[in-house]
Amino acid sequence: MRATCLFVCMFLIGCSPKVTPENIDGLNGYWVIAKAEAPNGEIRPYTGTVEVDFFELKDSNGIRKKLKPLFGNQFNKTNDAIGFTVSFQEKSCILTYSRQKHSWQEEVVRLSENELQIKDARGVVFYYKRYQP
């Protein structure tokens, strides 16, 4: 029984989508935050969220924008694009943002076709799902 439980745990950990240079292009597109989890375990659901995060990545450089959905699969675009670079450090995928004289980093913890998890410097994990209009 104990061996079976250990096998199942290892299987689940091994099957979680790893973020690699080969699949980082999956970040491209529109994402909406479903919830955020603080390091203390507190969970904040994002219900009725009206903003969508748009990521556009080419090679190791990209932009991230906040968009507001409109009717007819259109978006209200703003001029708040933030540039970022992607790097891989010790099995981690790091997004380094730069705006004016400020820079900060976030870690892409999980990335699959329809799920994205990003951890900020405070340790808060944001759970995204692919945006479906």
Side-chain angles (χ1 to χ4, degrees):
M1 175 69 175
R2 198 176 264 184
T4 303
C5 196
L6 179 63
F7 174 75
V8 169
C9 288
M10 289 175 59
F11 177 77
L12 291 174
I13 291 170
C15 289
S16 68
K18 304 283 187 230
V19 184
T20 64
E22 291 78 26
N23 72 356
I24 190 63
D25 284 341
L27 182 64
N28 284 317
Y30 300 91
W31 297 90
V32 62
I33 299 174
K35 67 180 179 179
E37 183 175 358
N40 67 3
E42 181 181 343
I43 295 176
R44 176 182 172 207
Y46 277 73
T47 56
T49 302
V50 295
E51 286 190 332
V52 174
D53 283 11
F54 172 71
F55 290 87
E56 183 177 45
L57 180 65
K58 292 181 183 176
D59 298 320
S60 62
N61 296 305
I63 62 163
R64 180 178 182 174
K65 273 187 122 164
K66 293 277 189 192
L67 305 172
K68 292 190 179 190
L70 301 171
F71 292 108
N73 295 334
Q74 305 240 344
F75 293 95
N76 186 5
K77 299 175 184 174
T78 60
N79 293 326
D80 67 345
I82 301 171
F84 68 88
T85 59
V86 175
S87 61
F88 290 88
Q89 306 167 3
E90 299 177 20
K91 298 184 182 180
S92 295
C93 176
I94 305 298
L95 304 179
T96 303
Y97 298 92
S98 183
R99 178 183 268 174
Q100 296 171 353
K101 295 181 181 181
H102 296 75
S103 66
W104 65 98
Q105 293 183 329
E106 295 179 329
E107 178 184 356
V108 180
V109 178
R110 178 183 171 106
L111 177 62
S112 68
E113 184 178 339
N114 294 310
E115 294 180 51
L116 170 64
Q117 293 176 12
I118 295 179
K119 182 169 35 170
D120 70 9
R122 301 169 297 166
V124 176
V125 178
F126 293 89
Y127 293 79
Y128 289 82
K129 60 184 178 180
R130 186 72 68 179
Y131 176 72
Q132 300 293 325

